[in-house]
Amino acid sequence: MLKEIKELQKTAFSELNKAQLLEDIEKVRIKYLGRKSKLSQILKGLKDLTVEQKAEVGKVANIFKRKISQEIEVKITALNEANLWPKIDITIPGIKNARGHIHPITKTIYEICDIFTSLGFNVVEGPEAEKERYNFEALNIPLDHPARDAFDTFYLKDDLLLRSHTSPVQVRVMEKEKPPIAIIVPGKVYRPDAVDATHSFMFHQVEGLLVDKNITFSDLKGTLSVFLRKMFGKEVKVRFRPHFFPFTEPSADLDVSCFVCNQKGCRVCSDTGWLEVGGAGMVDPEVFKAVNYDYDEFSGFAFGVGVERIAMLKYGINDIRLFFENDYRFLKQF
Ligand code: FA5
């Protein structure tokens, strides 16, 4: 019997050594320690032995049981620990994270700002939720003025609205600072316009304001012509078309030659050969009055360009809605 137990011990440890998986170890445990194990069978014969023999065989059997149980525990703990660590194959090439980039509108704003800062302008910003005084009154657009319709507005509550242009920032800056002033103001503006290929209810403008002594319309023309040629290339033609804005006098709409048809006439330019990108003019004396500037001493020009229109022209995009749909197939091209 003792011999049998020793044999059993040998095979049990050799099988346990070979076991690689938890299931294999469990099989060894059942085979050697379970109720129907070989050891149990052997121990059934104990009843035929003398008291001394029983004691000796029992002792050897118990030692075997304890040793194999301990060894099984050690092996299970080691395997469990190994399984806790994710199996990493450090030789597999990594997965590259997709990298985002600047939105084409932001990129266009940066380009516009770069050009004007190189001409000596400072970049400033103003609030999108604006007071009537800044959006209208101080810009010479009183409540009953018909021009107020042209700047149709989203109202938030009494005397608080979503600005319909970036021109209010002209007033905010002039209220605080004395000339000379040379600023540009990029930002979002809002209008309840019907959305189509060239109109959105939210879009971006860049405002410009230069105030000093002896500023003339030729300074305005020169500055905007330099800007547009830097933006679109030397070939672009620039046109100042007479227009009306309550806050400038004289006023002009700013057109550039149509990129689609090269001025032959097409749907995009409504067969005119020109595309409007903004408005401009000499600061109206009424605006100077509103900010307590002496309009005999100072003069200035102002302009406001539509960023989406400029980006559309620059990149040949025929629908403004593409900028706001967040379609990565479109955005990744810039
Ligand atoms: C203005 O907003 C004046 N504040 C510009 C100005 C500033 C004139 C300073 C004189 C002195 P206007 O409403 O024309 O002007 O808008 C300027 C530009 O914004 C337009 O030429 C166009 O490029 C763009 N724009 C106007 N409405 C929309 C719209 N719904 N969606 C996209 N772009 C628009």
Side-chain angles (χ1 to χ4, degrees), residues 150-151 164-165 167 170 191 193 198-201 203 205 207 245 247-248 253 276-281 302-306 308-309 320:
F151 297 96
S164 50
H165 51 169
S167 301
Q170 287 187 34
R191 287 182 198 177
D193 283 354
T198 50
H199 291 84
S200 172
F201 52 87
F203 57 100
Q205 289 187 337
E207 189 83 7
F245 291 106
F247 34 92
T248 47
D253 257 346
E276 181 204 312
V277 290
F303 60 86
V305 291
E308 282 76 5
R309 299 274 173 89
I320 196 170

Side-chain angles (χ1 to χ4, degrees), residues 1-100:
M1 224 178 244
L2 281 176
K3 210 174 144 211
E4 273 183 291
I5 294 174
K6 291 234 166 90
E7 278 300 311
L8 216 52
Q9 189 162 325
K10 244 194 196 166
T11 52
F13 276 100
S14 130
E15 279 173 36
L16 188 60
N17 272 342
K18 284 185 205 141
Q20 296 294 332
L21 303 170
L22 286 173
E23 303 95 88
D24 300 338
I25 299 171
E26 182 60 8
K27 273 185 204 150
V28 173
R29 195 186 63 76
I30 293 167
K31 185 168 170 188
Y32 294 97
L33 296 172
R35 265 194 308 119
K36 294 181 186 156
S37 66
K38 280 197 180 164
L39 186 66
S40 305
Q41 313 262 305
I42 296 167
L43 294 180
K44 270 183 196 154
L46 274 181
K47 60 180 181 336
D48 305 324
L49 301 181
T50 64
V51 177
E52 290 78 29
Q53 283 171 329
K54 269 186 197 163
E56 201 185 346
V57 174
K59 195 174 156 200
V60 174
N62 276 337
I63 291 174
F64 165 60
K65 266 188 178 175
R66 203 177 56 238
K67 274 192 179 168
I68 192 79
S69 305
Q70 275 174 357
E71 200 55 33
I72 284 172
E73 279 313 306
V74 168
K75 202 137 182 186
I76 288 175
T77 313
L79 255 182
N80 278 339
E81 268 176 16
N83 283 341
L84 282 181
W85 298 99
K87 294 181 179 55
I88 299 170
D89 180 351
I90 56 164
T91 63
I92 294 174
I95 300 163
K96 267 195 187 166
N97 283 336
R99 276 180 77 181

Side-chain angles (χ1 to χ4, degrees), residues 316-333:
I317 294 157
N318 60 8
D319 198 317
I320 196 170
R321 287 166 285 205
L322 287 164
F323 290 123
F324 308 119
E325 284 167 353
N326 231 4
D327 186 336
Y328 187 60
R329 288 168 302 177
F330 168 75
L331 295 175
K332 73 178 177 190
Q333 298 174 74

Side-chain angles (χ1 to χ4, degrees), residues 93-163:
I95 300 163
K96 267 195 187 166
N97 283 336
R99 276 180 77 181
H101 62 78
I102 291 171
H103 190 279
I105 292 301
T106 313
K107 194 173 160 181
T108 308
I109 289 174
Y110 285 172
E111 274 180 70
I112 298 172
C113 289
D114 274 355
I115 295 171
F116 279 106
T117 48
S118 77
L119 296 172
F121 285 73
N122 287 319
V123 180
V124 295
E125 286 181 317
E128 287 173 28
E130 188 54 283
K131 292 181 171 191
E132 288 197 309
R133 166 174 156 72
Y134 294 106
N135 202 73
F136 294 125
E137 267 97 71
L139 289 167
N140 194 29
I141 321 176
L143 192 56
D144 54 355
H145 198 293
R148 206 134 161 170
D149 298 341
F151 297 96
D152 250 0
T153 312
F154 289 113
Y155 276 84
L156 298 172
K157 54 182 183 181
D158 284 349
D159 198 25
L160 198 63
L161 48 84
L162 288 176
R163 67 180 177 190

